[in-house]
Amino acid sequence: MSRTEPMTAQEALVLCSQIAVCVDEGRFELSRHAVDQSILREITTDEMRQALADSEVLENYPADKYGPSCLVLGFTRAGRSLHIHCTHPARDPMKII
């Protein structure tokens, strides 16, 4: 991953809102790595959807080698915390890395 760069609180809120819209509209896909890790960690796609519906940006990688991305933290309805690395929603479809 590239070096992280800080975001303002407002920028982080906007990014999380855009991520939630992509997830709600089904405009996302999983990388092979994300599929492999979700199987190993027993994380369902529904749990990823739940966590990304209301998440917070932990780290921002605007110069990531495959395009801007971020690490977010979200929680499932059961309270399970998930750290999810995804591209910025400007990429369509957004990719969970």
Side-chain angles (χ1 to χ4, degrees), residues 37-97:
Q37 291 301 306
S38 65
I39 291 168
L40 287 173
R41 297 176 181 170
E42 299 180 355
I43 300 169
T44 67
T45 304
D46 190 51
E47 286 178 310
M48 286 185 242
R49 285 176 175 271
Q50 292 169 28
L52 290 171
D54 186 22
S55 61
E56 67 178 273
V57 175
L58 298 179
E59 295 182 347
N60 182 40
Y61 309 107
D64 205 359
K65 65 182 177 180
Y66 298 114
S69 66
C70 57
L71 177 67
V72 299
L73 170 65
F75 295 87
T76 67
R77 284 191 287 273
R80 182 178 186 186
S81 63
L82 298 180
H83 291 88
I84 300 173
H85 184 198
C86 61
T87 61
H88 284 196
R91 180 192 187 279
D92 195 12
M94 181 183 77
K95 183 171 254 183
I96 297 174
I97 305 166

